Each structure stands twice: as structure tokens, then as C-alpha cells.
Amino acid sequence: NAGVTQTPKFQVLKTGQSMTLQCAQDMNHNSMYWYRQDPGMGLRLIYYSASEGTTDKGEVPNGYNVSRLNKREFSLRLESAAPSQTSVYFCASSEGRRGETQYFGPGTRLLVL
Amino acid sequence: GESVGLHLPTLSVQEGDNSIINCAYSNSASDYFIWYKQESGKGPQFIIDIRSNMDKRQGQRVTVLLNKTVKHLSLQIAATQPGDSAVYFCAEKNNNNDMRFGAGTRLTVKP
């Protein structure tokens, strides 16, 4: 099993450009999450999905949209990137509801110029 | 301990020594805690968890201690090895089922 995979690994955008970060898990988990990690700070939840077809905002949702395409895949979209969105983005999944042990992907490093 | 600033707390230990990493959590209603290890350039990796009805749990070379009275969590690593060098952070699940993550402590193991 690959666990949680993310693409791309690294991306550079100009302010105003859009992009979609892809995430997939092969553990048959119901819940999936998107976090951002900034230097010296803990992971902050952007959006999560408790099941296919449902999504909910987390702590820092502004400037992002998500799609739970199917049980395996959960994508994060930046419609108009801003320098403040420069960060490392992690996707995670858990078997059940929020709060259970979450398993993380390797991350996407995003630089917005 | 944890930090909300730009610089993480650091712990430097000699190979073979025991390491103790601390975490202070904020919500007395939190009932589930996890320790993660994050190596440079990688995603967080689950190490060990503990529920609030326990005060100690042991894994392979790792022990987590929970003191609910002072809202303190610690991770002990026995016989620390160079491969243990990483950032370690704790996470707490509060009564809204939200998982909150600490910023972490950077562990450096000297050979």
C-alpha cells in the first residue's frame, strides 16, 4: 500500500495563478483532510471531508476550495494564489470520524511569488 | 515544550541516551493525544497515542506519559539513535472532535 500520496511535490506560482493539489489514499479511509504547515507553527486545518460527497471548512479555509472526487481522492484548489499561501500543504486521511489517528502524505511545497 | 514562534525548541542528545520531549496542551476536555515524528522534507508519521483514561503507554523504545492535572504530555525515547533526529509534535483531540497540533520540538542526536 502506498498510503497517502500527493502531487505535485513542489510548485512555484505567480500571484493570481490557479492550481489544484491532488491527494489520494489507498487505505479505504472515510475521512480526508487538507492542512497547511508554516514555519514554527502547528498544522492548521484548511478543509476536511468526512465521507464522499461531503466537505467542511476548517480553521483557515479562505482562498481555498476542495473536491472529494470519490472515496480515494480529495483535491485542494487555489483559485487565485497569493504570497500568503506560500506554505507546505499536507493531505491526511483517517478511518473514521474526525479526531481519530490521521495518516499523512509527503506534502506539497508551494511558493507563490 | 511547544512554541508558537518562528523558532522551534530544540533538544540535543548523545546517541544512546534517553530523550524526553514535552508538550503542554490547552484543553482540559481533550481526551485523545498523539505524538508524531516529522523528518526533514517528509510528512508527519504516527508514533504513539494515548487516551485520557490512561496515564502511560509504551511502544517500541517509546513511552508516552499523560498528566491531566497539569495538562502535560511527554514522549520518552529510549536509547536514542541518529535516525530519531526529527521534529516531534503532539496533537490533542478536543471535545469538538477537532485535532489541534503543536509546533513541535526539534530533536538532534549527536553520534
Side-chain angles (χ1 to χ4, degrees), chain B residues 45-59:
Chain B
Q45 177 187 357
F46 171 88
I47 302 174
I48 191 168
D49 60 0
I50 188 168
R51 299 202 179 271
S52 58
N53 61 352
M54 304 173 69
D55 53 20
K56 181 179 179 179
R57 190 159 189 232
Q58 289 185 289

Side-chain angles (χ1 to χ4, degrees), chain A residues 30-51:
Chain A
N30 289 306
S31 298
M32 296 186 73
Y33 314 81
W34 275 105
Y35 291 92
R36 60 179 288 172
Q37 185 178 48
D38 299 296
M41 298 180 71
L43 293 162
R44 291 185 293 169
L45 182 66
I46 304 171
Y47 270 94
Y48 74 98
S49 170
S51 62

Side-chain angles (χ1 to χ4, degrees), chain B residues 46-88:
Chain B
F46 171 88
I47 302 174
I48 191 168
D49 60 0
I50 188 168
R51 299 202 179 271
S52 58
N53 61 352
M54 304 173 69
D55 53 20
K56 181 179 179 179
R57 190 159 189 232
Q58 289 185 289
Q60 188 178 12
R61 280 201 309 118
V62 294
T63 301
V64 55
L65 299 177
L66 176 62
N67 185 331
K68 294 180 287 293
T69 303
V70 294
K71 293 186 285 187
H72 184 268
L73 194 68
S74 69
L75 176 71
Q76 300 178 0
I77 305 173
T80 315
Q81 303 167 0
D84 295 326
S85 293
V87 173
Y88 291 81

